[in-house]
């Protein structure tokens, strides 16, 4: 059985694909921005000597790392409004969920990088009169950030793919727009092939860049 490909009828809606791609990019970079802030704060709480902060941060991480992102999106959009007694815009729910989700992973990446630095360096910094904050800023963080950069980039690339899930709460991202085009043309093979091609077009350079950075850092070590 042969199939007659017809990309022309699908590509007439190229503006929908490009708009959806733009929304996916916005959600990617927006959630990465907020996720980094959440990740640093959570990392600081995990490394804190205050047990309450440590426990709260650990619980947050385990909840968001141990439940599927799809479940989180559905919960924040449909269930969370019932708890607070107010509706949440689907775009806000999408950005909030993506940010909290990636923040939990960033926190562990940052924490792993910091604790991987030899404790002797902290002790040496204290011996020459540096405060804990000074040693963290001048000695620990520069080394830790270098070590976590490949993992951070890889997690950010994964986050771009994760944005496709916001379509389930009707956010007009690339996956949602592909479904819209399919509904207009009844050409699912072409619609979703174009969607896949656009994801590859965006992600392939990023994955190659991540591999290149990782190799450069390995050589410099």
């Amino acid at each position: 059985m042969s199939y007659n490909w017809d990309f022309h009828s699908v590509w007439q809606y190229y503006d929908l694909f490009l708009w959806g791609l733009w929304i996916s990019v916005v959600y990617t970079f927006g959630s990465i921005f907020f996720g980094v802030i959440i990740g640093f704060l959570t990392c600081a709480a995990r490394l804190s000597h205050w047990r309450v902060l440590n426990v709260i941060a650990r619980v947050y991480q385990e909840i968001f790392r141990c439940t599927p992102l799809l479940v989180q999106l559905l919960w924040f959009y449909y269930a969370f409004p019932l708890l607070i007694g107010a509706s949440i815009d689907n775009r806000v729910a999408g950005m909030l969920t993506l940010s909290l989700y990636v923040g939990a992973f960033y926190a562990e990446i940052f924490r792993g990088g910091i604790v991987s630095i030899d404790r002797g360096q902290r002790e040496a910094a204290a011996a020459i009169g540096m405060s804990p904050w000074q040693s963290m800023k001048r000695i620990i963080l520069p080394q830790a950030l270098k070590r976590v950069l490949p993992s951070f980039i890889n997690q950010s690339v994964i986050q771009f793919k994760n944005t496709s899930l916001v379509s389930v709460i009707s956010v007009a991202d690339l996956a949602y727009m592909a479904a819209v085009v399919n509904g207009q043309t009844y050409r699912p093979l072409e619609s979703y092939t174009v969607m896949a091609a656009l994801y590859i077009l965006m992600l392939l350079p990023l994955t190659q860049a991540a591999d290149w950075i990782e190799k450069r850092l390995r050589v410099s070590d």
Side-chain angles (χ1 to χ4, degrees), residues 39 43 46 58 61 65 103-113:
C43 174
R46 287 292 309 276
R58 183 65 180 270
Q61 278 190 285
R65 292 169 63 201
F105 286 90
Y106 283 159
E108 193 61 26
I109 290 173
F110 299 153
R111 191 186 71 86

Side-chain angles (χ1 to χ4, degrees), residues 21-86:
L21 182 62
W22 166 247
I23 295 298
S24 294
V25 171
V26 169
Y27 271 78
T28 299
F29 283 97
S31 62
I32 288 174
F33 173 77
F34 291 117
V36 167
I37 296 174
I38 294 170
F40 270 121
L41 292 175
T42 305
C43 174
R46 287 292 309 276
L47 296 174
S48 172
H49 296 298
W50 292 1
R51 183 169 177 78
V52 174
L53 285 179
N54 195 300
V55 170
I56 292 173
R58 183 65 180 270
V59 170
Y60 152 67
Q61 278 190 285
E62 295 305 326
I63 289 174
F64 280 89
R65 292 169 63 201
C66 297
T67 54
L69 177 56
L70 177 59
V71 172
Q72 296 170 23
L73 283 164
L74 294 174
W75 191 88
F76 270 99
Y77 186 54
Y78 293 108
F80 187 57
L82 299 177
L83 292 178
I84 63 175

